[in-house]
Amino acid sequence: TLAEMTAEQFQSNALDGVNVVITAGPTREAIDPVRYISNHSSGKMGFALAQAAVEAGASVTLIAGPVALVSPERVKRIDVDSAEQMHQAAMDSLANCDMFIGAAAVADYRPAQIVEQKIKKSADSMSIELVRNPDIIAAVASHPQRPFTIGFAAETQDVISYAKGKLAKKKLDLIIANDVSDSEIGFNSDNNAVTVIWNGGEKAMALASKQQLSRCLLSEIAEKYKNSRAT
Amino acid sequence: TLAEMTAEQFQSNALDGVNVVITAGPTREAIDPVRYISNHSSGKMGFALAQAAVEAGASVTLIAGPVALVSPERVKRIDVDSAEQMHQAAMDSLANCDMFIGAAAVADYRPAQIVEQKIKKSADSMSIELVRNPDIIAAVASHPQRPFTIGFAAETQDVISYAKGKLAKKKLDLIIANDVSDSEIGFNSDNNAVTVIWNGGEKAMALASKQQLSRCLLSEIAEKYKNSRAT
């Protein structure tokens, strides 16, 4: 099949000598010592991309939130819990990073305060005050040592439109859009279908295993990356 | 050792013919389609208790929140996500329940509204309004078809004092107290050390694997259960 041919060709050396940093999984934002806010990201897509990048010859650093996944071989894994920790690890990685893929589902907000002891329930209702987390992918794309920067847009409505807005606003090189309202694809599924969008074009990628899709995605990404370096 | 002797003796038939319902794991309370509030419960303690109860001859129903654990053999497992779903499953189980062990770390609060589409970030801060979840263990203990009811108190300070208060207030038969501020024991650990408390007495159980501890715990529980039926 075309997908297999692409994978074969790609596996060889498409990213030889390229330093790739990938974030994956959810983040957890502590409310108190036992409670937290998180999201349904399994980390499977980011881990599959890390595997595919290694196969393509890249040196891969994988910054992983709390997930139940085994690291691909030859990947340097950095485990983090919160968005602030992931932000710090991402910033630290930029000194030696040619390409950054933000596949993590980073919590946009965290509790304004982490309570040190377990909160005792008493009132019939309460509210948690939240503050914005650092925008990791935007911080990477606007950094002086800016790598080739690829983001994800996991949305439940107007997916392509939101993704294009995010591409422009955050000054990304590429964005990968997927519709997480469809349980056949997205967060906890082993399969995914996405649209790759860049400034001036887009390409839909049909439903496939996250592993197979990652190879096709990285083939596309490697081509765009080389073009960006050639100009 | 004494623990092994207890387990041997216990394994035989201490709960022959007894219908035991056990809740385990955390609950997840949806904020929107991708975000949720949860807690660090691994479900290991509840699953170990289910295993030990089966070994002791009980018919076991395990109501499990989202956990990454395989069911013990011969256990009837019911998977749930939210506290409201766990409450419903627990109430449904009472028609045929002699003993109820609430080992789940049920979320005390849930978001007042579940937003149907992924919330777009915009403001620098926001707040989530929370409302109280049903108190499952209290509902079980005050039910007309009340089983022998055992609760857990996972605390980070004044553990025994809080546990005694909970035992009385919720009209439990037994409560098992553990200090989750100690990372050697508690939520994600494979080991635990607890204190069993009843009206008029308490018994500390030293650090052991959750599996071993579960056998000792069920031996103690079975004795108290038989006494309660004899009176």
Side-chain angles (χ1 to χ4, degrees):
Chain A
T1 70
L2 178 62
E4 278 162 354
M5 282 170 58
T6 309
E8 280 295 318
Q9 177 195 355
F10 162 67
Q11 192 149 349
S12 51
N13 55 9
L15 292 174
D16 255 359
V18 180
N19 292 308
V20 177
V21 176
I22 301 174
T23 65
T27 65
R28 282 185 182 164
E29 309 300 321
I31 298 171
D32 69 17
V34 300
R35 301 177 179 95
Y36 59 81
I37 297 175
S38 192
N39 64 64
H40 290 292
S41 172
S42 65
K44 286 175 188 167
M45 193 68 216
F47 275 61
L49 283 167
Q51 166 91 50
V54 164
E55 287 170 5
S59 291
V60 179
T61 300
L62 180 59
I63 303 173
V67 294
L69 296 174
V70 175
S71 300
E73 281 183 33
R74 287 174 285 155
V75 160
K76 181 188 169 197
R77 175 168 174 173
I78 300 170
D79 284 312
V80 299
D81 209 50
S82 68
E84 287 184 302
Q85 288 167 359
M86 187 174 278
H87 176 256
Q88 188 59 55
M91 292 300 109
D92 290 348
S93 76
L94 293 186
N96 188 29
C97 172
D98 304 307
M99 181 188 291
F100 186 97
I101 307 178
V106 183
D108 300 322
Y109 293 89
R110 68 177 181 275
Q113 294 187 305
I114 301 176
V115 182
E116 283 191 26
Q117 300 294 344
K118 183 181 172 189
I119 301 167
K120 305 307 296 178
K121 60 191 166 189
S122 48
D124 281 346
S125 64
M126 60 176 282
S127 76
I128 303 179
E129 295 304 313
L130 304 175
V131 295
R132 278 290 292 275
N133 269 325
D135 186 331
I136 298 174
I137 198 76
V140 168
S142 63
H143 194 273
Q145 290 170 288
R146 181 190 192 284
F148 190 78
T149 309
I150 300 131
F152 270 77
E155 303 294 344
T156 56
Q157 58 182 345
D158 301 336
V159 178
I160 301 299
S161 158
Y162 273 128
K164 286 181 177 172
K166 197 168 169 181
L167 177 80
K169 187 177 159 202
K170 302 196 178 181
K171 301 185 174 64
L172 308 179
D173 294 295
L174 282 175
I175 195 159
I176 299 161
N178 73 321
D179 183 348
V180 291
S181 70
D182 183 344
S183 65
E184 287 295 301
I185 61 178
F187 279 176
N188 281 305
S189 170
D190 287 325
N191 299 317
N192 205 351
V194 301
T195 302
V196 185
I197 303 169
W198 57 92
N199 193 356
E202 62 183 82
K203 184 170 181 174
M205 296 201 167
L207 185 67
S209 75
K210 285 181 175 175
Q211 195 149 19
Q212 185 56 63
L213 183 68
S214 290
R215 290 178 179 149
C216 297
L217 267 175
L218 273 191
S219 181
E220 194 68 34
I221 289 169
E223 187 192 313
K224 296 278 183 297
Y225 170 73
K226 280 179 184 164
N227 291 345
S228 78
R229 299 289 130 149
T231 57
Chain B
T1 71
L2 178 62
E4 278 161 354
M5 283 170 57
T6 309
E8 280 296 318
Q9 176 195 354
F10 162 65
Q11 192 150 350
S12 50
N13 57 8
L15 291 174
D16 254 0
V18 180
N19 291 308
V20 177
V21 176
I22 301 174
T23 64
T27 65
R28 281 185 183 164
E29 309 301 320
I31 298 171
D32 68 18
V34 299
R35 301 177 178 94
Y36 60 80
I37 297 174
S38 191
N39 64 63
H40 290 292
S41 172
S42 64
K44 287 174 187 166
M45 193 67 216
F47 275 61
L49 283 166
Q51 166 91 51
V54 164
E55 287 170 5
S59 291
V60 179
T61 300
L62 179 60
I63 303 173
V67 294
L69 296 174
V70 174
S71 300
E73 281 184 32
R74 286 174 285 154
V75 160
K76 180 189 170 197
R77 175 169 175 174
I78 300 170
D79 283 312
V80 298
D81 209 51
S82 68
E84 287 183 301
Q85 288 167 359
M86 188 174 277
H87 176 256
Q88 187 59 54
M91 292 299 108
D92 290 348
S93 76
L94 294 186
N96 187 30
C97 173
D98 303 307
M99 180 187 293
F100 186 97
I101 307 179
V106 183
D108 299 323
Y109 293 89
R110 67 177 181 277
Q113 294 188 305
I114 301 177
V115 181
E116 285 193 23
Q117 300 295 341
K118 183 182 171 188
I119 300 167
K120 305 308 294 179
K121 58 191 166 189
S122 49
D124 281 345
S125 64
M126 59 176 284
S127 75
I128 302 178
E129 296 303 314
L130 304 175
V131 295
R132 279 290 292 276
N133 269 325
D135 187 332
I136 298 174
I137 197 77
V140 168
S142 64
H143 194 273
Q145 290 170 286
R146 181 188 192 287
F148 191 77
T149 308
I150 299 133
F152 270 77
E155 303 292 344
T156 56
Q157 58 183 346
D158 302 335
V159 179
I160 300 300
S161 158
Y162 274 127
K164 286 181 177 171
K166 197 168 169 179
L167 177 80
K169 187 177 159 202
K170 300 194 179 183
K171 302 185 172 63
L172 308 178
D173 294 295
L174 283 175
I175 195 159
I176 300 162
N178 73 323
D179 183 347
V180 291
S181 71
D182 183 345
S183 64
E184 286 296 301
I185 60 178
F187 278 177
N188 281 303
S189 170
D190 287 325
N191 299 316
N192 207 352
V194 302
T195 303
V196 185
I197 304 168
W198 57 93
N199 194 358
E202 63 184 80
K203 183 170 182 175
M205 298 203 166
L207 186 66
S209 75
K210 284 181 176 175
Q211 195 148 18
Q212 185 57 63
L213 183 68
S214 290
R215 291 179 180 148
C216 297
L217 266 175
L218 273 191
S219 182
E220 193 68 34
I221 289 170
E223 187 192 315
K224 295 278 181 299
Y225 170 73
K226 280 179 183 163
N227 291 345
S228 78
R229 298 291 129 148
T231 57

